[in-house]
Amino acid sequence: MSRRPGLIDHAVDALRDGIVSGEWPVGSRMPTEPALSKMLGVSRNTVREAVQALVHSGLVERRQGSGTYVVGTSELAVTISREVAAASQSDVVEVRHALEVEAARLAAVRCTTNDVAEINRARDARQTAYTGGDLAEMVATDLALHRAVVRASGNPLLAHLYENLIAAIGDDIQGIFVTDTDADAGVHDALVAAVVTGDPEAAARETTSYLATLLD
């Protein structure tokens, strides 16, 4: 009896790895239970229980008469998305403040040459999108700039948390563009300058100032 939980855990880990690695991308149908059983070297019952564990975690779903499909790559993202659905915009902005201010501070200290190049490219793309007036592109490029700064923090855990909030942050940014018709194309220029010149206090201050206006 003591071996069975271990086998199930092994199967869950193997299936999760296949999903995260992209072997079975989001939207794809997973192999059948017999195929997975052969692939993992475990019984069909073990595979069935492992798949059910992933159903509970939100990574896959069973579709009657069709099979099991991948619907997500991160259990954390699934959990967060459920919480975000009931959150207010101010809740989202406060969480952004908690993550982005420290990310900006760290990025100003730790960013590499490649990070600086990525941040500058993201800033330029944002300005171009703003000039063009395409809402979807404005949101995408603004989000890309924030993500570039967070990645430049050099803290993989912080970056992972931020990535799992991307959908909510993107919705927040879109709401800002829709309601703020006077949005400035260069609103993040001072933040970028602070990060690339290595001024952590200025980077934190600029991020705090920007997000404070959203809370107001």
Side-chain angles (χ1 to χ4, degrees):
M1 295 294 293
S2 63
R3 293 182 59 197
R4 187 167 176 74
L7 287 174
I8 295 172
D9 291 342
H10 167 75
V12 169
D13 289 343
L15 295 178
R16 184 188 295 111
D17 288 346
I19 292 169
V20 173
S21 70
E23 180 180 355
W24 304 308
V26 173
S28 67
R29 184 172 62 184
M30 294 186 66
T32 62
E33 282 183 4
L36 289 174
S37 176
K38 182 176 181 180
M39 183 186 307
L40 301 179
V42 297
S43 70
R44 288 184 61 178
N45 284 340
T46 297
V47 167
R48 187 174 299 114
E49 292 189 44
V51 170
Q52 189 59 38
L54 295 181
V55 169
H56 287 312
S57 70
L59 294 187
V60 304
E61 67 177 19
R62 297 184 188 275
R63 298 177 186 172
Q64 188 66 34
S66 180
T68 301
Y69 289 79
V70 178
V71 294
T73 59
S74 169
E75 288 149 316
L76 177 60
V78 172
T79 300
I80 288 178
S81 67
R82 291 169 181 160
E83 297 298 324
V84 167
S88 66
Q89 184 182 18
S90 63
D91 292 334
V92 174
V93 175
E94 286 171 359
V95 172
R96 288 185 63 188
H97 182 277
L99 297 176
E100 291 183 26
V101 172
E102 185 59 20
R105 191 193 311 275
L106 292 173
V109 175
R110 299 175 177 174
C111 66
T112 65
T113 300
N114 287 339
D115 290 330
V116 169
E118 182 182 0
I119 290 169
N120 283 331
R121 281 195 299 269
R123 177 203 57 202
D124 294 344
R126 182 190 183 280
Q127 292 175 339
T128 299
Y130 183 90
T131 302
D134 183 293
L135 178 60
E137 191 65 16
M138 290 165 66
V139 173
T141 53
D142 190 90
L143 187 57
L145 176 56
H146 290 294
R147 295 170 83 179
V149 171
V150 172
R151 284 194 294 269
S153 72
N155 185 318
L157 179 56
L158 194 160
H160 182 64
L161 290 171
Y162 195 79
E163 288 297 318
N164 280 287
L165 280 166
I166 283 299
I169 295 170
D171 288 344
D172 187 48
I173 290 171
Q174 178 165 317
I176 294 164
F177 280 125
V178 169
T179 58
D180 185 4
T181 56
D182 296 322
D184 181 3
V187 69
H188 296 316
D189 287 356
L191 166 62
V192 171
V195 170
V196 302
T197 60
D199 189 338
E201 296 312 313
R205 185 170 60 250
E206 290 297 331
T207 306
T208 297
S209 176
Y210 168 70
L211 291 173
T213 62
L214 303 186
L215 287 173
D216 291 341

